[in-house]
Amino acid sequence: MSMATLTAPSAERENYLNQEYGIRSWLLTTDHKRIALLYLLSITFFFFIGGFFALLIRLELLTPAGDLLQADTYNKMFTMHGQVMVFFFLIPAVPAVLGNFLIPIMIGAKDLAFPRINLLSWYLFIIGGLFMLYTILTGGVDTGWTFYTPLSTQFLDTHVVAAALAIFIAGFSSILTGLNFIVTVHRMRAPGMTWSRLPLFVWSNYATSIIQVLGTPVLAITLMLVALERIFKLGIFNPQMGGDPLLFQHLFWFYSHPAVYIMILPGMGVVSEVVTCFSRKRIFGYKFMALAVIAIAVLGFLVWAHHMFAAGISLYAAMIFSLLSYFVAVPSAIKVFNWTTTMYKGSISYMTPMLYAFGFIGLFTMGGLTGLFVAALGIDVHVTDTYFVVAHFHYIMVGGMVMAYLGGIHFWWPKISGRMYPEAWGKLAALIIFIGFNLTFFPQFVLGYLGMPRRYWQYSPEFQVLNVLSTAGATILAVGYLLPMVYLLWSMRYGKVANENPWNAAGLEWMTASPPPTFNFDQTPTVTWEAYNYDELKEVPVER
Amino acid sequence: MSDRAPAIATHSPELEHHFSSLEQQLEASVMGMWVFLITEIMFFGGMFCGYMVYRYQYYSAWVAGSQKMDFRWGTLNTIVLLCSSLTMALAVRSAQLGRRKAIVIFLLITILFGLGFLGIKGIEYHGHWAEHQFPGLNWAWPEANSHLVALFFSFYWAMTGFHALHMVIGVGLVSWIAYQAWKGRYHSAYYTPVEVVGLYWHFVDIIWIYLYPLLYLISHKHISG
Amino acid sequence: MFDLPLWPPRASTTAGSVDALFIFLLTLCGFMALAIFTMIIVFAIRYRRRPGHQAEQIEGSNALEFTWTFIPLGIFLCIFVWGAYIYFQERTPPRGAAEVYTVAKQWMWKFQHVEGHREINELHVPVGRDVRMIMTSQDVIHSFYVPAFRIKQDVLPGRYTVAWFHATKAGTYHLFCAEYCGTMHSGMIGDVVVMEPAQYEAWLSGGAALGSLANTGQGIFQSLGCSTCHRFDTQGRGPNLVGVFGRPVLLEDGRTVIADENYIRESILIPAAKVVSGFKPIMPTFQGIVSEEQLNALVAYVKSLNPPPAGAAGTPNLKPPTSQPETNR
Amino acid sequence: MSRHIASAKLYVGVWLALICLTAATAAVSGVELGPFNVVVALVIATSKMLLVALFFMGVKYLSQRMTVVVIVAGLFWLFILLALSMTDYVSRAWA
């Protein structure tokens, strides 16, 4: 799909795609919409690299013996699968692609507060990505995505410093995106766009930005200290010198638990938009939904040591963190109840984004509920570091966040590309992904409680049947993810031309052209209506 | 920044196209800088957390390590940085008043103080390196608690090293806006860059305000040696 | 046809209580998940978009919001208390449990029984006895994990961590390393062989015991010259170690700490970290001189210096385990 | 902020206060106060920080309340990191 030939026949008018042509107009753009597309390409590229590693892991686990890959290669596979997926796909995905594209339009602004910093954020992501590619291509890293010391600092000679540097740089890209969103939402809202009229997508990205800004620097310094310890033999985490490996875990998880909320909160924002649009109803309990998002962002910072219950922290600290972990579970429960109640007495249509929203609510509920298991101290001692935890966080990240991301991409595709995606193919892909996902990860709950530890290259024979089921599911999931890639690209040229508001949805982004002009609105709109005013929007039959 | 911005009431050259007024642009830049400074607080916060944990566990080694610090250089460096903060604040004030020459002079003095600080830091580093107080690469410690004092020095080198790095960036930024000020780009209606770099400089000074007592003055023994 | 176990074997007292909480949560969350799924499906069908059907706008209801905030919170707190109760038991080994020193090294488990037996990747324990694992690692972080007992405890380098269990069913159960520790992390596995007391005694006497761990410790204590400073008769340059274990120790900087295994280990490897009040920090470090196994033997020896009637855990007394779990760490 | 310009005398006055506080913290640290040494040092350092932040950085004259909220939130998050990590290290000896 070369940039230059991208013309939307319907829009003879100028829009952000055909306003300028040529590589320079893309690589030096400060238009938040073009930067969003640059991010879309970059993270899709990394998604398929991470997915490739995942497939290799699942293939290796078909048999109890380690017969496909060598032990070291397998360790590199799950390490780089984790690092590429977490730092180069999950964290940037919704904020940097959908957030960058939509937030200025949703609040009626011409662009983000700092357009040049937005471009810098993408370049930092690409530089970080290049370091990651260098790490992958020249031998990989096998510390696990968690970099636990003293293994990562003293007992491995793979590219630990290169991987740490890659994530350090990509972290700043995340910080700058967060900084941009916070200042934009505070300073750049159109007249009349009060906080209580903000779409919940903006609320959830605002909460995500709080986490990105307050959490990522701690990961940055922690990875820097690991790099210093490897290069200069400084002994901050070195047990021989009285250093404490648990200090590394405290600093690492201080960021990495809120990071899982960076991944899921934007997905929640997308689902709030999609559920209200396809139920033709206002969101149920707007204040509580907005408050819940902020509560998750704040409480998310108080619970990190529930990753360390069996790691050797003190008994009373474990109890404090377990109690706090149950407080952070409440806002997520509130959101699930509110989405479900929003559908009550609605007028629900089953378009692809709505199928993804159904999938999200279902799978996120299971992910959230299993969170209650691993937060209970007694059970966590048995299931931590086993496939139960692997299934738990994949239910939330893949079942929740990736479903919401695909739902969002389909929901706003007409706005991004000016074209409609093929509806039948969309529904088929959503179904395949849902089935493939459950077949992959549900057996892992059982494996986990049986006691199969994670990151095992070879395992006891009695776990084989469940692993074979999981691998079968993974192949279906892979097919499911390839489909949207194909038909969305196809739709950019051959898709039906989309009008300004194909879903007849509420929101400022549906009141400007598809694809929007470079400055989003001819003149800055004034907002006089409440959020999700579907009662005022007439019921237009959506053509098939 | 495409220049075909739709006409806005007071279209002065410095105004970014997507802001409605210079006032909004300055407020946004200041807020953006403060959000960035929060990330810096958390960045140094990670090291302060490690420092606090190990000081709680190995207090006697921290005292032994702190005794090796020359607190006179530390105090002088603190005063140098406080002076640079004063001149920086006066530079921002003269930018608000639009006094071009005053901005340049105050900024140059600030740069001098900054370089002075780095010079003193260099002397201290040279001293510690000569006495083999760099854990790992160049370490020799006669007494029994060698490992634990090495932990203290690991934090000393890491914290002051990152602080010095931020100081180097600060000197670079200040010289850039001094050059711009010398070319007359700033006046009482538009001085955002001076303001923002000022905030950054004061922040780096605040980090040192905490590093000084925590590294140099751990217990009363540092004076009696 | 094929081997598809769905529930791990239950072979310890803790396993019972963990399974009880797990089954309770399974039913509660299963019910909640089904409730939400059916609501979604019912709403999706009943309120599907069709001509003549109009969506009815509902702003929200504070009452409903408060109910599904505080009721889940109440339930969650009960789950927390139940989970914390089990965890408290798991982290407080009962007094008088038989002790096994464990050294985890990259990709094998080494066990030292107090009676002197040494085992690699195999642990023989009697049924119906509390067994306390005192564990440390020679290199990276490992994790002692026996799924059948539902216990897991990371084994940290530079420190002792403790796990305990009370086996209830004889048999051979998996032992896994659960914390990623390098190339052969998945090969660092073994078996916990739980035997009837009679068989255990036979196994114990059969093995070529080279004297109890405490005796080995005494030998090391002499050979390394510890006895020159730590004298038992008069007050030497180092503190007298008789009756030190398990009791509070006043330190030079005013703190008092309990002399547990970690204190003795740290005092051997990094003596200046906690100097006993009234003594000089003259003790040289034995880091790199003493191996982990020798360290375990020294710790066992110092423990055995406690006068026996104080219920010292050093020598394994075979009286049936009636002791109440209280903290003695 | 952008409109309020403080007098040069005020800045020099704040500067003098900072110098005195620096001298004070150096002097006080020479006196044996046991555990209170660190408390006094931190109190003096925090007061110096407040002086620099309120006057030199102009937080006192900030027109938008939101930026002040951002600053206070940042300090509170640092406190979360420090305090909750210490709960582990302080309570290790209790178990």
Side-chain angles (χ1 to χ4, degrees):
Chain A
M1 172 188 83
S2 76
M3 290 301 151
T5 62
L6 206 65
T7 54
S10 79
E12 289 334 318
R13 286 182 291 95
E14 217 179 58
N15 62 56
Y16 78 102
L17 290 173
N18 59 21
Q19 192 209 343
E20 279 173 287
Y21 288 108
I23 291 299
R24 268 176 57 80
S25 76
W26 281 91
L27 293 184
L28 298 177
T29 177
T30 54
D31 175 5
H32 64 101
K33 297 179 284 301
R34 286 193 167 211
I35 293 172
L37 284 186
L38 291 175
Y39 261 114
L40 175 63
L41 280 178
S42 338
I43 62 160
T44 308
F45 169 70
F46 280 109
F47 174 71
F48 282 103
I49 290 184
F52 171 68
F53 290 143
L55 271 183
L56 279 181
I57 294 169
R58 280 310 334 158
L59 284 175
E60 166 60 66
L61 292 177
L62 263 178
T63 59
D67 40 24
L68 177 69
L69 306 169
Q70 297 192 328
D72 274 332
T73 324
Y74 177 78
N75 294 343
K76 287 172 184 162
M77 285 302 119
F78 71 71
T79 299
M80 293 185 291
H81 168 69
Q83 286 169 350
V84 166
M85 280 304 205
V86 166
F87 295 107
F88 293 95
F89 170 68
L90 285 169
I91 286 177
V94 176
V97 175
L98 296 175
N100 256 337
F101 193 96
L102 292 165
I103 287 183
I105 312 175
M106 280 183 169
I107 61 172
K110 295 186 184 56
D111 204 319
L112 287 172
F114 309 113
R116 284 191 294 267
I117 289 183
N118 200 14
L119 182 63
L120 172 65
S121 152
W122 182 70
Y123 272 104
L124 286 175
F125 180 80
I126 289 304
I127 295 166
L130 288 176
F131 268 96
M132 198 67 210
L133 283 180
Y134 162 79
T135 312
I136 293 169
L137 298 177
T138 56
V141 59
D142 57 352
T143 57
W145 82 277
T146 43
F147 283 101
Y148 270 16
T149 63
L151 178 66
S152 62
T153 45
Q154 273 142 36
F155 288 88
L156 289 175
D157 52 10
T158 49
H159 298 277
V160 178
V161 173
L165 207 58
I167 294 167
F168 176 82
I169 295 169
F172 279 100
S173 146
S174 180
I175 288 174
L176 292 183
T177 307
L179 182 147
N180 232 326
F181 283 175
I182 288 176
V183 178
T184 305
V185 172
H186 274 290
R187 286 278 157 269
M188 312 273 294
R189 279 169 286 131
M193 177 57 83
T194 63
W195 284 90
S196 62
R197 288 180 177 156
L198 275 179
L200 282 172
F201 181 77
V202 177
W203 269 103
S204 50
N205 271 290
Y206 177 70
T208 310
S209 310
I210 293 176
I211 306 175
Q212 284 175 317
V213 159
L214 286 168
T216 319
V218 177
L219 176 77
I221 184 61
T222 313
L223 293 178
M224 259 312 117
L225 294 178
V226 166
L228 287 183
E229 191 151 331
R230 282 185 70 91
I231 299 165
F232 297 111
K233 305 288 181 294
L234 287 182
I236 292 169
F237 305 121
N238 178 356
Q240 269 87 29
M241 292 166 73
D244 186 358
L246 288 185
L247 175 64
F248 170 84
Q249 290 179 29
H250 276 297
L251 292 174
F252 177 81
W253 288 114
F254 178 83
Y255 164 72
S256 296
H257 182 75
V260 306
Y261 295 117
I262 293 176
M263 299 171 204
I264 195 64
L265 280 179
M268 290 176 170
V270 168
V271 169
S272 298
E273 300 292 323
V274 167
V275 165
T276 47
C277 170
F278 291 98
S279 311
R280 313 304 305 162
K281 266 197 64 195
R282 290 176 180 245
I283 191 81
F284 186 88
Y286 175 94
K287 275 199 312 301
F288 288 89
M289 288 292 265
L291 213 61
V293 159
I294 300 294
I296 289 178
V298 172
L299 295 175
F301 274 96
L302 309 176
V303 296
W304 75 81
H306 58 219
H307 297 270
M308 300 158 65
F309 283 155
I313 58 173
S314 80
L315 167 65
Y316 300 103
M319 289 192 182
I320 292 170
F321 280 103
S322 173
L323 178 65
L324 291 170
S325 299
Y326 278 106
F327 280 102
V328 83
V330 172
S332 301
I334 291 172
K335 287 191 85 72
V336 169
F337 292 135
N338 277 328
W339 283 319
T340 316
T341 341
T342 302
M343 296 183 200
Y344 176 65
K345 282 201 163 57
S347 161
I348 296 166
S349 50
Y350 310 131
M351 306 306 285
T352 309
M354 194 55 170
L355 294 189
Y356 279 114
F358 286 144
F360 173 93
I361 298 174
L363 300 177
F364 174 72
T365 303
M366 288 186 61
L369 289 174
T370 47
L372 301 182
F373 287 71
V374 290
L377 282 159
I379 297 180
D380 187 69
V381 162
H382 174 53
V383 295
T384 188
D385 274 332
T386 66
Y387 267 84
F388 191 92
V389 162
V390 171
H392 161 65
F393 68 71
H394 277 92
Y395 257 81
I396 295 198
M397 287 200 229
V398 182
M401 188 270 162
V402 175
M403 284 284 221
Y405 168 66
L406 288 173
I409 288 284
H410 284 80
F411 183 55
W412 282 294
W413 190 253
K415 191 52 67 179
I416 293 172
S417 68
R419 295 303 183 96
M420 286 301 288
Y421 60 86
E423 190 57 45
W425 281 101
K427 287 188 173 132
L428 180 67
L431 203 63
I432 292 176
I433 289 172
F434 185 79
I435 293 166
F437 171 82
N438 278 305
L439 186 58
T440 311
F441 291 109
F442 193 82
Q444 291 183 359
F445 278 124
V446 181
L447 271 175
Y449 201 73
L450 280 175
M452 176 178 174
R454 62 192 283 203
R455 296 170 170 170
Y456 258 34
W457 172 51
Q458 49 193 17
Y459 54 84
S460 312
E462 70 256 31
F463 300 135
Q464 178 168 18
V465 172
L466 290 166
N467 271 299
V468 166
L469 283 175
S470 186
T471 302
T475 44
I476 299 170
L477 199 55
V479 168
Y481 284 140
L482 280 175
L483 282 178
M485 169 93 165
V486 171
Y487 65 70
L488 286 177
L489 285 178
W490 172 86
S491 80
M492 292 195 93
R493 169 57 67 91
Y494 301 103
K496 232 174 9 347
V497 171
N499 64 32
E500 188 178 274
N501 192 350
W503 313 113
N504 190 18
L508 270 179
E509 76 268 25
W510 300 108
M511 295 179 184
T512 180
S514 301
T518 300
F519 293 108
N520 300 339
F521 299 95
D522 296 336
Q523 74 277 345
T524 312
T526 309
V527 178
T528 56
W529 54 89
E530 290 307 314
Y532 309 113
N533 52 348
Y534 281 98
D535 38 5
E536 292 146 14
L537 286 166
K538 55 190 177 339
E539 183 74 65
V540 169
V542 178
E543 69 280 1
R544 277 288 167 272
Chain B
M1 200 61 51
S2 72
D3 49 19
R4 271 196 314 284
I8 301 165
T10 59
H11 185 77
S12 55
E14 293 89 3
L15 179 60
E16 306 283 349
H17 72 89
H18 55 286
F19 284 115
S20 56
S21 76
L22 268 178
E23 178 68 20
Q24 186 197 22
Q25 180 176 315
L26 176 68
E27 281 169 14
S29 311
V30 165
M31 184 174 184
M33 192 56 191
W34 270 109
V35 172
F36 175 71
L37 292 183
I38 299 300
T39 67
E40 289 280 5
I41 288 178
M42 294 309 290
F43 183 79
F44 280 95
M47 287 190 284
F48 281 113
C49 177
Y51 169 93
M52 186 177 69
V53 159
Y54 286 136
R55 173 174 170 151
Y56 172 78
Q57 284 183 322
Y58 308 120
Y59 182 70
S60 54
W62 247 241
V63 167
S66 173
Q67 278 175 284
K68 285 288 175 263
M69 297 290 140
D70 185 340
F71 93 103
R72 290 187 301 276
W73 279 128
T75 315
L76 180 62
N77 250 348
T78 311
I79 292 165
V80 160
L81 270 196
L82 292 178
C83 301
S84 71
S85 261
L86 172 68
T87 51
M88 191 64 195
L90 292 173
V92 172
R93 182 174 165 282
S94 31
Q96 288 169 335
L97 299 170
R99 301 193 188 118
R100 196 177 65 81
K101 231 158 23 54
I103 305 173
V104 176
I105 293 166
F106 279 125
L107 287 181
L108 289 180
I109 303 171
T110 309
I111 293 171
L112 283 181
F113 276 125
L115 295 175
F117 172 87
L118 290 172
I120 295 171
K121 212 65 212 124
I123 296 167
E124 281 185 82
Y125 279 165
H126 176 70
H128 289 304
W129 181 269
E131 286 172 30
H132 310 293
Q133 285 162 355
F134 187 95
L137 295 184
N138 171 4
W139 178 254
W141 187 261
E143 287 115 37
N145 54 6
S146 158
H147 307 87
L148 304 178
V149 178
L151 258 183
F152 171 79
F153 274 98
S154 302
F155 272 94
Y156 168 76
W157 284 94
M159 291 168 120
T160 51
F162 275 116
H163 178 266
L165 176 70
H166 280 76
M167 182 53 76
V168 166
I169 297 167
V171 166
L173 286 174
V174 171
S175 20
W176 165 253
I177 56 163
Y179 168 69
Q180 294 284 349
W182 182 72
K183 280 203 326 201
R185 261 201 76 201
Y186 305 126
H187 46 79
S188 53
Y190 173 69
Y191 57 91
T192 309
V194 184
E195 175 90 50
V196 164
V197 169
L199 290 179
Y200 176 83
W201 187 272
H202 292 304
F203 170 79
V204 176
D205 178 23
I206 286 177
I207 289 291
W208 181 261
I209 284 175
Y210 278 95
L211 283 182
Y212 167 60
L214 289 180
L215 288 174
Y216 288 83
L217 316 169
I218 286 187
S219 83
H220 67 287
K221 291 203 180 103
H222 67 278
I223 293 186
S224 56
Chain C
M1 189 205 3
F2 43 73
D3 174 9
L4 177 57
L6 292 173
W7 201 267
R10 186 180 296 160
S12 80
T13 49
T14 336
S17 41
V18 168
D19 280 1
L21 175 57
F22 184 77
I23 290 163
F24 167 74
L25 270 179
L26 211 55
T27 43
L28 178 76
C29 295
F31 168 72
M32 270 320 297
L34 281 180
I36 289 172
F37 296 161
T38 40
M39 257 162 62
I40 291 175
I41 293 166
V42 164
F43 289 163
I45 294 168
R46 221 161 130 231
Y47 302 109
R48 67 189 178 287
R49 202 158 77 82
R50 50 193 186 281
H53 168 71
Q54 203 57 28
E56 189 190 321
Q57 299 306 329
I58 302 165
E59 204 54 43
S61 92
N62 292 349
L64 206 53
E65 296 283 351
F66 287 124
T67 45
W68 62 45
T69 305
F70 292 109
I71 291 179
L73 186 60
I75 298 170
F76 292 167
L77 293 183
C78 303
I79 302 168
F80 157 70
V81 168
W82 188 346
Y85 175 71
I86 299 172
Y87 188 72
F88 186 83
Q89 284 175 321
E90 279 173 2
R91 289 287 296 267
T92 47
R95 184 179 295 278
E99 287 180 351
V100 178
Y101 289 84
T102 310
V103 176
K105 75 185 279 293
Q106 260 178 330
W107 308 305
M108 74 168 68
W109 297 96
K110 290 189 279 187
F111 301 108
Q112 294 164 277
H113 291 264
V114 172
E115 301 83 3
H117 289 68
R118 292 165 183 271
E119 296 183 276
I120 290 189
N121 286 351
E122 274 222 354
L123 176 63
H124 290 80
V125 287
V127 174
R129 283 292 321 288
D130 299 334
V131 177
R132 182 161 171 263
M133 313 293 303
I134 301 165
M135 306 181 290
T136 183
S137 158
Q138 267 178 264
D139 33 51
V140 294
I141 300 175
H142 301 277
S143 188
F144 182 82
Y145 177 41
V146 184
F149 299 160
R150 311 288 191 278
I151 58 159
K152 178 187 288 105
Q153 177 57 52
D154 278 17
V155 184
L156 299 171
R159 206 185 105 184
Y160 282 116
T161 51
V162 171
W164 79 280
F165 56 84
H166 177 107
T168 53
K169 203 152 66 92
T172 308
Y173 306 107
H174 283 302
L175 160 65
F176 293 133
C177 168
E179 182 56 57
Y180 175 62
C181 55
T183 312
M184 283 314 294
H185 163 57
S186 55
M188 191 173 166
I189 52 179
D191 289 322
V192 176
V193 181
V194 181
M195 307 154 87
E196 298 302 333
Q199 279 176 314
Y200 178 70
E201 286 313 319
W203 174 81
L204 209 55
S205 52
L210 21 83
S212 82
L213 196 62
N215 301 349
T216 336
Q218 190 172 18
I220 301 165
F221 193 80
Q222 312 294 356
S223 63
L224 289 178
C226 314
S227 45
T228 50
C229 298
H230 296 289
R231 311 185 61 79
F232 301 135
D233 39 20
T234 64
Q235 192 59 315
R237 278 174 296 171
N240 183 336
L241 299 177
V242 174
V244 161
F245 183 76
R247 284 183 191 67
V249 174
L250 179 65
L251 298 182
E252 188 68 28
D253 52 21
R255 291 181 299 173
T256 45
V257 289
I258 302 285
D260 57 5
E261 291 95 353
N262 272 315
Y263 170 77
I264 294 176
R265 175 196 175 83
E266 189 180 39
S267 306
I268 296 172
L269 293 180
I270 312 175
K274 294 186 172 71
V275 179
V276 179
S277 75
F279 291 91
K280 297 277 171 301
I282 51 167
M283 175 172 170
T285 171
F286 285 84
Q287 180 99 41
I289 302 162
V290 171
S291 78
E292 293 298 340
E293 287 82 0
Q294 291 170 322
L295 208 54
N296 291 342
L298 282 171
V299 169
Y301 173 62
V302 168
K303 255 194 230 179
S304 69
L305 295 177
N306 275 16
T315 49
N317 37 39
L318 284 180
K319 64 176 172 48
T322 54
S323 51
Q324 273 307 322
E326 335 108 9
T327 56
N328 73 338
R329 276 165 41 86
Chain D
M1 166 65 194
S2 49
R3 287 305 152 258
H4 179 280
I5 298 161
S7 73
K9 264 202 326 315
L10 175 76
Y11 282 148
V12 173
V14 167
W15 173 70
L16 277 178
L18 287 168
I19 298 293
C20 301
L21 281 172
T22 310
T25 195
V28 160
S29 74
V31 175
E32 166 56 49
L33 298 167
F36 290 104
N37 254 3
V38 69
V39 172
V40 168
L42 284 178
V43 162
I44 293 175
T46 308
S47 45
K48 283 162 75 177
M49 181 269 283
L50 286 175
L51 278 176
V52 170
L54 290 177
F55 296 100
F56 285 175
M57 296 172 102
V59 170
K60 194 165 184 307
Y61 318 108
L62 269 183
S63 52
Q64 323 88 30
R65 221 175 18 75
M66 197 56 221
T67 313
V68 176
V69 166
V70 163
I71 302 161
V72 169
L75 295 174
F76 179 67
W77 252 255
L78 178 63
F79 172 74
I80 292 176
L81 170 65
L82 301 179
L84 276 177
S85 306
M86 279 312 282
T87 59
D88 176 20
Y89 287 93
V90 164
S91 63
R92 266 191 200 170
W94 302 347

